Amino acid sequence: MKNFLLKKIAILAGIVVLGLTFSSFKDDDKNFQVTKNLDVFNSIFKELDMFYVDTIKPDKSIRTGIDAMLEALDPYTEYYAEEDMGDLNLMIKGSYGGIGSVISYYKGRVVIDEPYENMPAAKLGLKPGDVLLEIDGKDLKGKSVAQVSELLKGQIGTTFILKVERQGVKKPLEFKLTRESIQIPAVPYYNVEANNTGYIQLSSFTGKPAKEFKDAFLALKKRGITSLIIDLRNNGGGLLDEAVEIANMFLPKGKEIVYTRGKMKQWDRSYKTTHDPIDPNIPITVLVNNGSASASEILAGAFQDLDRAVIIGTRTFGKGLVQTTRNLPYGGSLKLTTAKYYIPSGRCVQAIDYKHRNEDGSVGRVPDSLTTVFHTAAGREVRDGGGITPDMEIKAEKTPNILYYLIIDKKIFEYANDYCVKHPTIPSAQEFALTDDDYKAFKEMVSKSDFKYDRQSDKVLKNLKEVAEFEGYMDDASEEFKALEKKLSHNLDRDLDHFSKDIKSLISAEIVKRYYYQKGAITQQLKNDDELVKAIDLLNNPEKYNGLLSPAKGKQEQKTTAEVK
């Protein structure tokens, strides 16, 4: 018996040793492949540098190789060279040294697009439409937006002279600007809406969003709000910790909000609420859309999984990956995906599987049929693999094609500039309304400018005609095609009238922004916000609100939807 045990132990030990040997061989092979391929890459570059017919630029060539390698992973893993670190810091901290203004390209020159309130550009009187001519005597003609942006940014406290050309002013204007620390607000707007409903727009999770959010919420509490709307639409995310901190304002201490899992144990972490909430009972709705991603999905997903708020809108983006920055030689940095995150129900909202690509290298969303059912704390069904599906889905309105072209051709921007020259003052942001005469003037401006825009109906009709000709149907259908072409004929005046509501709304926001900055523009936009109205109505209907958070109601609604289908 003793010999048998010794023999068994020896066999087991042999298996362990064999396993370790195989593991060692595997690691050695991987290390060999790494060394081999780095050596090949190094040799290829040396050969190119010595013998290629034209001169090779080392930085550009190697950067191309790095970017191609990272592109094969996911769009969030990126290399930042020392000269690009400002962009990374802006992404993480939400701040930079500059003048506090958005700039854009207009009629071949870089112009001021939107100065931020209480920041150097606005305080010194720079206005949208101002053409940037010179910085410290350096001519900006031919410079790109990125190049001019780099010249405007710099060390905090440094000064420069900016020369601009302004519409309606004969001579160029000069401004002496001092660069300041520009902190882009995470909460650009909050207010009390109808029926004592608080509204907070949270546009980012970079900088200090939790502090800004808390200040806004406490200010609204003092004004007597009895319910709250958190607007996360088009919030692309940011810092995970900040999302947890905001969730903690409404959820009990000790609740797990999110946990992460990566290849290495150091990336496995659990994030829980650490203190008592400010208000654990106030009814909350959260507005989301397909631009809500990352930290936005953590906050919205935690509220949904813990049945703390009703999510309203369209399905979110579906980014369930976590990035970490790693310092590199020569002042650079690598932002790389190190983990996936999971919200309280245990689901991961990642919508795209970058690991399993198609043969052509493309990737697609995880189909709904392959997602897994999870359950909220109350037992409601929720799914993984495709973002956060709202509790109350609202069909997203499609942007009219003509509006897209009016924006990129800066026709609305141009009209707003003209309007401001003619109107030194306007009513408050809440009271301002574009008149019929104003819109008529806009239409005339667009018509005179030889404005061109692509219409999808023309493309579809052209493709249909080609298919009909190929399949031999054109002879019998030629008259019908002629009639359809006549019906779909290009008519700018008709399209400007047909989509006037959407166009007027955008023109109004662009005009108001010039007098009352970003807050004014948001005020104007919310006047025609159907999702906001639905959120307010829901918060003022406790029975429906509580019903959406109960599993029985959720099952009943799923049954009704199935019957309709």
Side-chain angles (χ1 to χ4, degrees):
M1 185 68 178
K2 185 177 178 182
N3 290 337
F4 173 77
L5 287 173
L6 289 173
K7 189 179 291 185
K8 188 174 182 180
I9 291 170
I11 292 170
L12 288 172
I15 292 172
V16 171
V17 170
L18 191 61
L20 290 172
T21 302
F22 282 146
S23 175
S24 178
F25 285 155
K26 189 175 180 180
D27 288 343
D28 287 346
D29 183 59
K30 182 182 177 181
N31 290 335
F32 170 73
Q33 292 297 329
V34 170
T35 303
K36 169 190 166 183
N37 284 287
L38 286 175
D39 194 27
V40 169
F41 181 87
N42 185 46
S43 297
I44 288 173
F45 181 79
K46 284 182 177 180
E47 294 295 316
L48 289 172
D49 188 40
M50 291 177 66
F51 303 115
Y52 187 68
V53 64
D54 295 320
T55 302
I56 297 291
K57 294 181 179 179
D59 286 352
K60 185 177 179 181
S61 297
I62 294 175
R63 180 60 187 263
T64 300
I66 292 171
D67 290 342
M69 175 176 62
L70 300 183
E71 191 178 340
L73 303 177
D74 64 54
Y76 315 111
T77 298
E78 299 174 298
Y79 166 59
Y80 291 84
E82 184 178 17
E83 59 270 22
D84 301 323
M85 287 300 292
D87 295 333
L88 181 61
N89 290 330
L90 176 60
M91 187 186 303
I92 296 170
K93 301 176 182 177
S95 64
Y96 62 95
I99 66 170
S101 176
V102 177
I103 58 174
S104 63
Y105 210 64
Y106 175 61
K107 291 185 176 180
R109 297 302 298 261
V110 177
V111 300
I112 296 291
D113 192 291
E114 179 188 355
Y116 292 127
E117 189 174 8
N118 297 322
M119 295 186 186
K123 286 188 288 188
L124 283 176
L126 286 168
K127 297 180 179 181
D130 285 349
V131 180
L132 307 187
L133 302 176
E134 296 178 3
I135 292 178
D136 282 340
K138 186 174 184 178
D139 188 4
L140 301 179
K141 188 175 181 179
K143 299 285 185 184
S144 67
V145 170
Q147 290 171 324
V148 174
S149 178
E150 285 302 308
L151 293 171
L152 291 173
K153 292 176 183 177
Q155 190 174 346
I156 296 166
T158 55
T159 62
F160 64 94
I161 303 297
L162 177 65
K163 183 185 284 187
V164 305
E165 179 181 279
R166 177 170 297 171
Q167 183 178 345
V169 179
K170 292 182 179 180
K171 293 183 178 180
L173 302 173
E174 287 192 353
F175 297 88
K176 185 177 181 180
L177 290 148
T178 301
R179 296 180 180 91
E180 296 180 10
S181 176
I182 306 301
Q183 181 72 52
I184 300 172
V187 178
Y189 181 87
Y190 66 90
N191 195 25
V192 179
E193 302 297 328
N195 301 316
N196 293 321
T197 300
Y199 169 88
I200 300 177
Q201 185 176 108
L202 184 61
S203 62
S204 171
F205 285 89
T206 57
K208 299 178 180 179
K211 181 183 183 305
E212 289 184 44
F213 186 96
K214 181 179 180 181
D215 291 343
F217 180 61
L218 292 177
L220 292 174
K221 290 272 284 183
K222 287 182 180 179
R223 293 170 63 181
I225 64 167
T226 55
S227 58
L228 178 66
I229 298 169
I230 302 173
D231 193 345
L232 296 178
R233 290 174 296 183
N234 299 313
N235 182 330
L239 302 175
L240 181 152
D241 303 74
E242 296 291 321
V244 175
E245 187 63 26
I246 293 172
N248 198 169
M249 298 178 196
F250 307 100
L251 290 165
K253 181 179 180 179
K255 286 285 184 182
E256 185 174 61
I257 303 301
V258 62
Y259 63 91
T260 60
R261 293 290 182 269
K263 181 192 291 185
M264 301 178 68
K265 279 292 181 183
Q266 70 186 89
W267 308 128
D268 294 354
R269 289 190 60 186
S270 174
Y271 297 81
K272 297 181 179 180
T273 53
T274 56
H275 51 78
D276 293 328
I278 297 173
D279 194 332
N281 300 312
I282 188 170
I284 302 171
T285 57
V286 181
L287 302 180
V288 297
N289 64 7
N290 62 3
S292 308
S294 189
S296 289
E297 294 174 295
I298 291 174
L299 182 59
F303 279 148
Q304 186 177 61
D305 284 359
L306 298 172
D307 307 291
R308 181 63 185 88
V310 173
I311 314 302
I312 298 177
T314 57
R315 187 187 293 194
T316 61
F317 182 81
K319 179 178 181 288
L321 306 175
V322 181
Q323 283 71 49
T324 306
T325 57
R326 305 285 294 175
N327 293 329
L328 296 175
Y330 303 102
S333 190
L334 179 66
K335 177 171 72 70
L336 74 160
T337 300
T338 54
K340 291 182 179 179
Y341 71 77
Y342 301 81
I343 49 180
S345 64
R347 56 183 169 142
C348 177
V349 301
Q350 179 62 25
I352 299 176
D353 186 358
Y354 293 104
K355 184 177 180 181
H356 299 98
R357 292 177 177 266
N358 301 320
E359 289 184 6
D360 62 357
S362 63
V363 291
R365 292 179 69 89
V366 176
D368 291 342
S369 60
L370 296 181
T371 58
T372 304
V373 172
F374 291 78
H375 293 88
T376 69
R380 294 184 296 144
E381 287 189 359
V382 289
R383 287 183 172 271
D384 66 354
I388 304 295
T389 299
D391 305 304
M392 180 188 288
E393 290 194 75
I394 298 174
K395 188 176 180 181
E397 292 186 6
K398 293 183 179 179
T399 303
N401 209 39
I402 188 173
L403 186 56
Y404 171 77
Y405 282 93
L406 287 170
I407 293 169
I408 63 172
D409 281 4
K410 300 192 83 72
K411 297 304 178 188
I412 293 174
F413 178 81
E414 183 178 333
Y415 177 76
N417 291 340
D418 291 340
Y419 187 95
C420 290
V421 172
K422 298 170 184 174
H423 300 80
T425 61
I426 63 169
S428 69
Q430 185 63 40
E431 295 172 346
F432 177 80
L434 198 72
T435 67
D436 291 339
D437 286 341
D438 292 334
Y439 192 62
K440 183 180 178 182
F442 171 75
K443 288 173 59 179
E444 289 174 354
M445 183 207 78
V446 173
S447 298
K448 291 177 182 177
S449 68
D450 193 32
F451 171 67
K452 304 292 184 186
Y453 61 104
D454 186 21
R455 298 195 312 153
Q456 293 301 312
S457 55
D458 290 339
K459 284 186 174 181
V460 173
L461 183 59
K462 183 181 178 182
N463 290 337
L464 182 60
K465 284 178 68 176
E466 290 175 354
V467 172
E469 287 176 355
F470 178 76
E471 295 184 347
Y473 294 115
M474 199 60 194
D475 290 340
D476 294 334
S478 60
E479 291 302 317
E480 286 82 355
F481 270 107
K482 287 178 183 178
L484 190 55
E485 282 178 335
K486 189 175 180 180
K487 286 281 187 183
L488 298 177
S489 62
H490 192 91
N491 189 328
L492 176 60
D493 194 60
R494 173 260 178 200
D495 287 350
L496 288 172
D497 284 337
H498 185 74
F499 298 110
S500 61
K501 181 184 175 182
D502 295 305
I503 299 171
K504 281 181 177 180
S505 178
L506 202 60
I507 293 172
S508 298
E510 192 70 22
I511 289 173
V512 169
K513 184 165 63 179
R514 281 153 175 71
Y515 298 88
Y516 301 108
Y517 300 100
Q518 190 178 30
K519 289 179 182 177
I522 295 171
T523 300
Q524 183 66 215
Q525 290 166 341
L526 292 178
K527 286 164 63 175
N528 301 303
D529 194 322
D530 293 335
E531 292 180 8
L532 177 65
V533 172
K534 286 181 171 64
I536 293 171
D537 289 345
L538 178 64
L539 289 167
N540 284 278
N541 187 337
E543 184 179 355
K544 186 176 181 181
Y545 174 87
N546 292 323
L548 284 170
L549 294 175
S550 70
K553 180 70 175 179
K555 288 179 181 178
Q556 181 61 41
E557 288 196 348
Q558 287 174 7
K559 182 180 178 182
T560 304
T561 303
E563 288 172 352
V564 171
K565 290 179 180 178

